Amino acid sequence: MSSSSVKRAPTVAVRVGGIVVGGSAPVVVQSMTNTDTADIAATVTQVAQLHRAGSELVRITVNTEQAAQAVAKIREGLDKQGISVPLVGDFHFNGHKLLQKFPDCAEALAKYRINPGNVGRGANRDEKFASMIELACRYDKAVRIGVNWGSMDQELVVRMMDENASSLQPLDNDQITREIMVISALENARRAEELGLGRDRIILSCKMSGVQDLIGVYRELSSRCDYALHLGLTEAGMGSKGIVSSTAALAVLLQEGIGDTIRISLTPEPGGARTQEVQVAQEILQTMGMRSFTPMVIACPGCGRTSSVFFQQLAQEIQQYLRDQMPHWSGKYPGVEEMSVAVMGCVVNGPGESKHANIGISLPGSGESPVAPVYEDGEKTVTLKGEHIAQEFQALVERYVDRHYGGK
């Protein structure tokens, strides 16, 4: 899919390991582990899972000496598997100590995430922040200065609240909160530059948990700087709530050309896969036409004409099959990620939608003849019937992929 319909706001390009964030690069998908980083085997396994799902950057928590000691070994374990995904270290409170004490950790990470609200207070804060920036300069690492409204710099909050209270035209609570976050990000970015960190090593974020708050703060931040921007609705929640709220916020910003890398901060449901946040991020970008990751399945919602669940099962099976095949297909069949597959449930829209897709099947609805025509690039090629329609259609999809993308 082409991103020509969305003009991105110009930002400085930042290299994070082998990935470029910002500039003219496509929007990057990232995720974060929820393992104990000190558990090397578990963290390597989850990073590998996230990467295979499509995460192009993976952030890990570095909160203790044990976690910091594990980082280089995690990097080594991934390298042994041929997984080069850049690792981002998430630091709060004690990052300066951990990076100084464990240089192999500082070297193994591709980017450091610093939260200005959790670095320290007063002169102590300045020293800790400077230490982390100087280490980033020494090891030539990118830095995300990530402001979060749940942990804002309290000294800045007090200062700006006082100034706002004495203003002739004070901002309301929402406005001043957003302004504090923007100022925090920009002041710390300028300080990082003063300490020697180049603009091409800085990424900013201002994460909030309210959809309108997030949209507002990023519009303001984008209008006042050209740093690369990381988008994410923090504490988005579980299940459909987290998916819907993240999509509502990020889609608006991305459509306005704001954002260079995204993460969907979903709370996993019990037993749920951590990789869901990667899939949602990819689907947001793909459905907006900004990137392509895996063939898209078009399926009708069903109605009284489709009392059978067969088409629902087939759509689910085909969608999962396509996603499962992508690690193998991506190198063998260039361009296959842009393919569309239609699985329709009755004669009303089935033939038409199937003709619009690269390959599609129109299953019989209630009372219709028990046959299923298959269309390839707008032309009917075969009619399936009987008990093995699902297997036969999957085989047709496989042959279509090999025939149309195998020679590229």
Side-chain angles (χ1 to χ4, degrees), residues 81 139 144 181 201 219 252 280 307 317 319 323:
Q81 296 184 40
Y139 293 103
R144 172 157 73 95
M181 294 189 67
R201 310 304 283 150
R219 281 174 172 166
V252 170
V280 172
S307 56
E317 289 173 8
Q319 183 163 281
R323 183 166 286 278

Side-chain angles (χ1 to χ4, degrees), residues 14-20 57 84-87 109-111 140 142 201:
V14 180
R15 183 166 291 278
V16 183
I19 300 295
V20 176
L57 298 174
S84 59
V85 61
L87 296 177
L109 295 169
K111 183 174 73 172
D140 192 25
R201 310 304 283 150

